[in-house]
Amino acid sequence: MNQITLTLPDDFHLHVRDGDVLPQVLSHTASQFRRALIMPNLRPPVTTVASALAYQERIKDALKVATQQGALTATNNFQALMSLYLTDQTPSSEILLAKDKGVLAVKLYPAGATTNSDSGVTDIRLCDDSLDTMAQVGMPLLVHGEVTHSAIDIFDREAKFIEEVLHPLRLRHPKLKVVFEHITTKDAMEYVRDAEVSELGPIAATITAHHLMYNRNALFTGGIRPHYYCLPILKREAHRLALLDAATSDSSRFFLGTDSAPHAKDLKEHTCGCAGCYTASHALELYATAFDSVGKLRQLEAFASFRGADFYQIPRNHGQITLQRQQQQVPNHYAFGNDLLVPLNAGEVLNWSIVR
Ligand code: DOR
Ligand code: ZN
């Protein structure tokens, strides 16, 4: 197959930040995806419906700016779907308001797990009332699935989270709908694939392009490579293969979420570099490369365009996008406000391109 046409896809896990960087990063995503679920880990975090709706308006304004600047065409018609940042104090009333105002989901960041998670949840049992409300009204909980105690090896934090937090949580809230975000291990893949959903609530997982493409060696090839550093961290090859197997399978429980996470170049290439891989500029091409590597390109449309929408019970998109086997070089950097943004694969040649 040298060409593939997909129904317009959605990115169900995206970081776009705020302020003057918005037009640039949004123009990348809006050129590839019809919708994206925007993560709420701003500083300060998006903990209220009012702040989520205000953020959505800023995103709309930034899309207009990107269109005026010629980075987007008016026909792109991109829609930002919003999420709320769960804290120890999130009241049930905010969940009800979120449901009423069309906020799509609520995100659990265990405190200390990742970028801007310091206001996150210190003990998930403190959220039991809100979680009950979420289960009742069908508001999905998105989980950053890593335990945070430093005694646990960083490569084991996701697997540990399943037994210590996720499974007990689903037992306590049997109707709760859960998305296990950016899974990185065979353990998480098998938990989601095999989860019992007649007694417990529905569960699905997003998978990033970088976790389908790379294992942990990428962090250390010829030296330390900060642009491959993300959380949860890249794992062993056996885990990558398990994720690729799941993403390209017929299971409806795995769908696309890039976790594209822009950070300024200086803060990535730093003595204590930030976690996050920027893939929004070429995400679909990376997914196509990964699916193609196992001869499963035909499965890409279900993964990228159908299963996420079906899980969230929102309509599938109309319109199409075509990818072809044609080389392109990833730029060394993009503008990012007054800084630079280095994409994953900077300077490398990819074998797939979007037909514009
Ligand atoms: O690598 C990551 N970057 N993982 C996350 O969970 C957060 C994200 C970010 O916001 O930078
Ligand atoms: Zn994320």
Side-chain angles (χ1 to χ4, degrees):
M1 264 173 107
N2 289 322
Q3 184 159 313
I4 181 166
T5 296
L6 312 175
T7 299
L8 276 180
D10 297 313
D11 180 353
F12 279 102
H13 187 124
L14 179 68
H15 302 268
V16 294
R17 315 303 183 204
D18 207 350
D20 59 358
V21 306
L22 278 178
Q24 171 73 51
V25 294
L26 283 164
S27 70
H28 285 155
T29 292
S31 302
Q32 303 216 329
F33 296 97
R34 170 69 176 74
R35 297 174 292 208
L37 180 49
I38 309 297
M39 291 298 118
N41 61 333
L42 302 182
R43 200 177 280 282
V46 180
T47 55
T48 63
V49 174
S51 61
L53 298 180
Y55 187 24
Q56 191 174 40
E57 286 306 310
R58 294 196 295 282
I59 290 172
K60 279 187 195 155
D61 291 344
L63 287 162
K64 281 185 206 144
V65 171
T67 308
Q68 281 155 10
Q69 291 172 344
L72 270 180
T73 63
T75 53
N76 284 63
N77 215 6
F78 175 80
Q79 190 190 359
L81 307 168
M82 305 312 289
S83 65
L84 214 59
Y85 186 113
L86 187 69
T87 72
D88 293 349
Q89 285 89 33
T90 304
S92 279
S93 55
E94 205 64 28
I95 304 293
L96 293 172
L97 187 62
K99 182 75 185 173
D100 190 46
K101 297 290 183 192
V103 171
L104 199 66
V106 174
K107 178 77 188 278
L108 162 64
Y109 287 101
T114 187
T115 308
N116 298 347
S117 63
D118 28 315
S119 311
V121 172
T122 60
D123 179 346
I124 188 66
R125 278 163 291 230
L126 295 171
C127 303
D128 274 342
D129 283 351
S130 304
L131 293 167
D132 270 340
T133 306
M134 287 171 60
Q136 273 164 30
V137 300
M139 174 68 82
L141 179 72
L142 318 182
V143 299
H144 181 109
E146 289 190 287
V147 295
T148 52
H149 13 283
S150 57
I152 307 292
D153 190 285
I154 189 170
F155 293 99
D156 298 333
R157 288 180 189 172
E158 184 173 280
K160 222 14 177 208
F161 181 86
I162 300 169
E163 57 179 87
E164 278 192 9
V165 183
L166 182 57
H167 195 63
L169 169 74
R170 293 183 66 234
L171 289 173
R172 283 202 308 284
H173 304 279
K175 295 248 149 55
L176 187 65
K177 197 167 174 173
V178 172
V179 183
F180 198 160
E181 294 294 336
H182 42 53
I183 59 167
T184 63
T185 56
K186 186 165 190 272
D187 313 63
M189 183 281 274
E190 288 175 349
Y191 180 79
V192 171
R193 184 192 64 191
D194 303 335
E196 177 52 68
V197 295
S198 54
E199 304 277 310
L200 300 183
I203 185 163
T206 54
I207 307 182
T208 77
H210 43 289
H211 289 98
L212 292 178
M213 290 281 290
Y214 303 107
N215 64 39
R216 64 192 195 176
N217 285 346
L219 280 159
F220 307 110
T221 305
I224 192 149
R225 304 249 182 182
H227 296 289
Y228 288 85
Y229 174 57
C230 63
L231 288 170
I233 199 160
L234 294 170
K235 304 295 193 299
R236 285 179 180 277
E237 178 65 359
H239 295 291
R240 184 186 78 84
L241 292 174
L243 299 178
L244 193 52
D245 201 41
T248 59
S249 74
D250 288 329
S251 170
S252 59
R253 296 186 185 175
F254 302 97
F255 54 83
L256 188 156
T258 62
D259 199 19
S260 175
H263 292 276
K265 180 177 192 279
D266 292 353
L267 296 177
K268 288 289 292 175
E269 299 171 9
H270 192 272
T271 47
C272 186
C274 296
C277 299
Y278 188 71
T279 55
S281 49
H282 56 298
L284 268 188
E285 294 95 319
L286 287 181
Y287 282 110
T289 305
F291 277 58
D292 189 34
S293 72
V294 288
K296 293 281 182 71
L297 266 178
R298 281 181 212 282
Q299 295 289 79
L300 184 58
E301 185 177 45
F303 177 80
S305 315
F306 297 158
R307 294 183 192 147
D310 295 353
F311 185 84
Y312 281 102
Q313 297 174 294
I314 60 177
R316 292 180 181 182
N317 294 322
H318 298 295
Q320 295 182 319
I321 191 164
T322 298
L323 288 141
Q324 66 181 3
R325 197 184 296 280
Q326 186 183 56
Q327 292 197 329
Q328 62 162 313
Q329 187 166 20
V330 178
N332 288 326
H333 50 72
Y334 295 104
F336 188 60
N338 293 325
D339 292 302
L340 293 177
L341 173 59
V342 177
L344 195 70
N345 311 104
E348 292 175 26
V349 173
L350 304 180
N351 287 326
W352 285 87
S353 300
I354 291 173
V355 179
R356 307 264 178 211

